[in-house]
Amino acid sequence: MQRRLFGRTGLQFGALGFGCGAVGGLMVRGSAADQERAAARAIEAGVNYFDTAPDYGQGESERVLGRVLRALKADVVVGTKVRLREAQPGRIAAEITASLEASLQRLGRDSIDLFQLHNPIAPTGAPAHLPASVVLDEVIPAFERLQAEGKFRY
């Protein structure tokens, strides 16, 4: 598997990652045996990045991924996301923190490698879109605090 540097982090990801989304349904509706077999085969093939989010199966993807990685005793890179729905100014940091803590609990981990904002950044008016000013003023400081607390690496 070819490896690619992830920005300036020093992390090297395989050219392919393992998406745990609801598309296809394996990590939200598949059997436990098939879930473990698929993840094990991906790791054997050189996949070292597993991508999930609370929106994938209403948290089921994170629960399953946590179980599978514990069963396989896998040392891989794990990323999850936060999507802010109708975020109220001044409450965004609390919403981000609550989302990440819930994700960590579902994954059965103290921290993850990669934490991403799942909202599009665009002018106001569209549902679930965040204006750049909100991202700069509230989202980034919340992410920086959680990173400093060791909740995620990047």
Side-chain angles (χ1 to χ4, degrees):
M1 171 79 62
Q2 291 180 351
R3 298 274 183 209
R4 306 254 166 70
L5 275 175
F6 182 63
R8 295 175 294 202
T9 66
L11 287 177
Q12 291 200 359
F13 289 4
L16 299 174
F18 192 102
C20 300
V23 176
L26 176 65
M27 296 304 270
V28 296
R29 293 183 299 277
S31 72
D34 286 345
Q35 292 161 341
E36 285 185 31
R37 189 171 32 258
R41 180 64 189 109
I43 292 167
E44 289 168 15
V47 171
N48 69 333
Y49 176 63
F50 285 74
D51 176 80
T52 188
D55 286 354
Y56 302 163
Q58 299 172 333
E60 187 63 15
S61 171
E62 290 177 327
R63 280 187 284 282
V64 167
L65 180 59
R67 176 186 50 76
V68 166
L69 295 179
R70 281 188 303 278
L72 298 175
K73 296 177 177 49
D75 181 23
V76 296
V77 178
V78 175
T80 195
K81 304 166 192 77
V82 59
R83 181 182 304 275
L84 299 169
R85 292 174 178 26
E86 300 180 32
Q88 301 298 318
R91 292 277 315 137
I92 290 174
E95 291 180 38
I96 291 169
T97 299
S99 178
L100 179 56
E101 291 293 346
S103 290
L104 292 173
Q105 185 174 13
R106 285 187 292 269
L107 286 162
R109 300 171 68 105
D110 295 326
S111 67
I112 54 169
D113 300 292
L114 180 63
F115 189 51
Q116 302 169 80
L117 179 64
H118 216 175
N119 295 73
I121 301 170
T124 57
H129 286 65
L130 294 178
S133 61
V134 170
V135 174
L136 293 170
D137 296 342
E138 296 190 59
V139 174
I140 290 175
F143 272 48
E144 288 173 336
R145 181 182 51 79
L146 291 165
Q147 185 180 31
E149 291 175 7
K151 299 293 183 177
F152 66 90
R153 293 171 55 193
Y154 307 103

